Amino acid sequence: MIRPVNAEMPVRPRRKRRGRYHHGDLGRALLQEALRTIQADGVESLTLRGVGKSLGVSRTALYRHFSDKSALLRAVAREGFRTLRLELLEAWQANGRGREAFEAMGVAYVRFALAHPSHYRVMFGGFVEMGSADPELAAEAAGAFGALVDALVALQQAGLVRRDEPLLLARFIWAIVHGIARLAIDGQMRCSPDESEALTRFAIERVRTGIAA
Amino acid sequence: MIRPVNAEMPVRPRRKRRGRYHHGDLGRALLQEALRTIQADGVESLTLRGVGKSLGVSRTALYRHFSDKSALLRAVAREGFRTLRLELLEAWQANGRGREAFEAMGVAYVRFALAHPSHYRVMFGGFVEMGSADPELAAEAAGAFGALVDALVALQQAGLVRRDEPLLLARFIWAIVHGIARLAIDGQMRCSPDESEALTRFAIERVRTGIAA
DNA sequence: ACCTGAACACCGTTCAAGT
DNA sequence: ACCTGAACACCGTTCAAGT
């Protein structure tokens, strides 16, 4: 079958030259392998040489796709914030967008951290300098935080939460779930996952009283 | 002046043999140099070789005093929990051991983290595996947590706080100040120290309502 | 006992060279 | 464009050797 000439196609489409090198999308493969390693063995076990080896690629192939190791970690963090945002939205929307949904979001947050502790550490561990550089990462992080802010504003408008400044309220709530998550995954409070969830529910219950309208 | 013979002195006091080797108490010096480096440049910049060099000592001299790098970091963490406990107690005792004193403890906690961010990260960053090994570290950490538990129990007995299980209440409070501290020092919420303190005060205010008797 | 240098097995990163 | 190996400047740790 002869494909018609299409104005959107480049004049001389680059052929893929498959098999010439090891990968079609090495960048994607590198990110996924890094995620796998981190999930399995933790960040401190992640080495560029190891990632390359797992993919049957030279130690330095990575530098064609990431400027350095920290750029790879930033990509990992970005991916994490994206997943977190989706899970928070899912909890909010699937539970009626009310007080119960807000509680479900808190539980979902802590569950995410407990399910992906190493990934969570990369997101928050200061491996990554937020801020100035990497606006994409900053945007993903802001997106996850935004899910929380939006939910709080909705609760305020429904008359369920006091009308303090939403940003301050959101930071307060975020600090609580983040604190529980980090203490749990860093092994600081000797707690089973069930106990961590019980603590989360207790916290939300007490906070509900504290911030009720 | 001739010092009298004292029964508490060892029979044949070891002479110091100063100048023979570089240090009288290299172990102490190593810990202090590690603390200095961490405070100045962060944990990731701490190298055993660098610590040795700063002290004019071979790269491997450290192994006479610490079994490995993680043992040095555990000593750093232990020192940190000791200081934190003392500062929490100071805040509690100097402010009347009541509701205001409890608020002062919360502020003191966050201030400690902001003043010594790298040190705080070593204490909580999972560089150190708490638990099984190093009972001294576990004891120091428990001591700092105990200051919080004791204060809460006192408030319960004074009828100022609901009589929930003290351990659960303490974990809840701890998670909040820890969460604020970590988000602040990891640069996650773009916040000045003053704003962090304002958030801390807001949190304590809301929590007071939430846990009031 | 306490300290030393040499040596080992690792890192991340750079760079000239290949296709 | 994309990948390669050699090389560089770092690590933590071990160990036989010195005093």
Side-chain angles (χ1 to χ4, degrees):
Chain A
M1 176 189 172
I2 298 172
R3 295 179 60 194
V5 174
N6 186 323
E8 282 161 350
M9 286 170 68
V11 180
R12 197 155 67 82
R14 285 185 188 286
R15 253 164 294 133
K16 203 52 175 314
R17 301 209 279 190
R18 335 162 74 243
R20 196 127 153 48
Y21 296 114
H22 280 79
H23 293 88
D25 190 352
L26 182 56
R28 187 86 212 143
L30 287 163
L31 175 56
Q32 282 171 347
E33 178 60 26
L35 272 165
R36 223 190 45 73
T37 306
I38 286 169
Q39 180 86 332
D41 305 320
V43 216
E44 63 286 352
S45 297
L46 179 74
T47 73
L48 301 189
R49 293 157 116 103
V51 170
K53 195 169 201 172
S54 300
L55 260 43
V57 131
S58 121
R59 308 197 256 298
T60 59
L62 179 137
Y63 288 87
R64 288 292 131 193
H65 300 90
F66 298 94
S67 64
D68 55 15
K69 190 178 185 180
S70 95
L72 178 60
L73 286 173
R74 285 200 300 273
V76 167
R78 217 190 310 145
E79 198 66 20
F81 280 115
R82 199 181 136 272
T83 307
L84 177 58
R85 172 173 52 84
L86 295 175
E87 295 193 4
L88 292 179
L89 285 177
E90 163 69 17
W92 174 248
Q93 289 162 0
N95 289 278
R97 303 164 195 252
R99 214 148 38 187
E100 274 189 36
F102 194 68
E103 173 162 346
M105 275 179 87
V107 172
Y109 188 102
V110 174
R111 271 191 198 151
F112 174 85
L114 293 184
H116 316 284
S118 298
H119 202 161
Y120 192 84
R121 278 195 209 100
V122 174
M123 295 159 62
F124 290 100
F127 293 99
V128 186
E129 286 121 62
M130 293 294 282
S132 52
D134 210 330
E136 294 188 55
L137 172 54
E140 286 291 0
F145 183 61
L148 175 57
V149 177
D150 292 346
L152 271 169
V153 170
L155 293 178
Q156 284 182 323
Q157 286 170 348
L160 296 169
V161 164
R162 350 154 82 224
R163 294 187 175 270
D164 292 315
E165 210 216 315
L167 185 62
L168 191 64
L169 265 174
R171 281 176 171 162
F172 170 50
I173 303 294
W174 192 22
I176 295 171
V177 286
H178 181 64
I180 293 173
R182 287 228 63 140
L183 289 175
I185 69 181
D186 292 336
Q188 218 74 25
M189 49 192 182
R190 222 154 307 303
C191 243
S192 70
D194 279 354
E195 286 175 303
S196 295
E197 193 156 322
L199 174 59
T200 306
R201 292 190 186 282
F202 174 79
I204 292 168
E205 174 71 26
R206 288 301 96 216
V207 166
R208 182 158 64 198
T209 307
I211 68 174
Chain B
M1 177 190 174
I2 298 171
R3 294 179 60 196
V5 174
N6 184 325
E8 283 161 349
M9 286 169 70
V11 180
R12 198 156 68 82
R14 283 187 190 282
R15 254 165 294 134
K16 206 45 176 317
R17 301 209 278 188
R18 333 162 75 245
R20 195 122 151 54
Y21 295 115
H22 279 79
H23 293 87
D25 190 351
L26 182 56
R28 188 85 212 143
L30 286 163
L31 175 56
Q32 282 171 347
E33 178 60 27
L35 273 164
R36 220 188 49 72
T37 305
I38 287 170
Q39 179 86 334
D41 306 319
V43 216
E44 64 284 354
S45 297
L46 180 73
T47 73
L48 300 189
R49 294 159 115 103
V51 170
K53 196 169 201 174
S54 299
L55 262 42
V57 132
S58 123
R59 308 197 256 296
T60 58
L62 179 140
Y63 287 87
R64 287 291 130 193
H65 301 90
F66 298 95
S67 64
D68 57 13
K69 189 178 185 179
S70 95
L72 178 60
L73 286 173
R74 285 199 301 275
V76 167
R78 215 190 311 145
E79 197 66 19
F81 280 116
R82 199 181 137 272
T83 306
L84 176 58
R85 172 173 52 83
L86 295 175
E87 295 192 5
L88 292 180
L89 286 177
E90 163 69 15
W92 174 248
Q93 289 162 0
N95 289 279
R97 303 166 196 253
R99 216 152 33 189
E100 275 189 36
F102 193 68
E103 173 162 345
M105 274 179 87
V107 172
Y109 187 101
V110 175
R111 271 190 197 153
F112 173 86
L114 293 185
H116 316 284
S118 299
H119 201 162
Y120 192 84
R121 278 196 209 98
V122 174
M123 294 159 62
F124 290 101
F127 293 98
V128 186
E129 286 120 66
M130 292 295 282
S132 53
D134 210 330
E136 294 187 55
L137 172 54
E140 286 290 0
F145 184 61
L148 175 57
V149 177
D150 292 347
L152 272 169
V153 170
L155 293 178
Q156 283 181 323
Q157 286 171 347
L160 296 169
V161 164
R162 345 154 86 226
R163 294 185 175 271
D164 291 316
E165 210 213 316
L167 184 62
L168 191 63
L169 265 174
R171 280 176 171 162
F172 169 52
I173 302 295
W174 191 23
I176 296 171
V177 286
H178 181 65
I180 293 173
R182 287 230 61 143
L183 288 175
I185 69 179
D186 292 337
Q188 218 73 25
M189 48 192 182
R190 223 155 307 304
C191 242
S192 69
D194 279 355
E195 286 175 304
S196 295
E197 193 156 321
L199 174 59
T200 307
R201 293 190 185 282
F202 174 79
I204 291 167
E205 174 71 26
R206 289 300 97 218
V207 166
R208 182 159 64 198
T209 306
I211 68 175

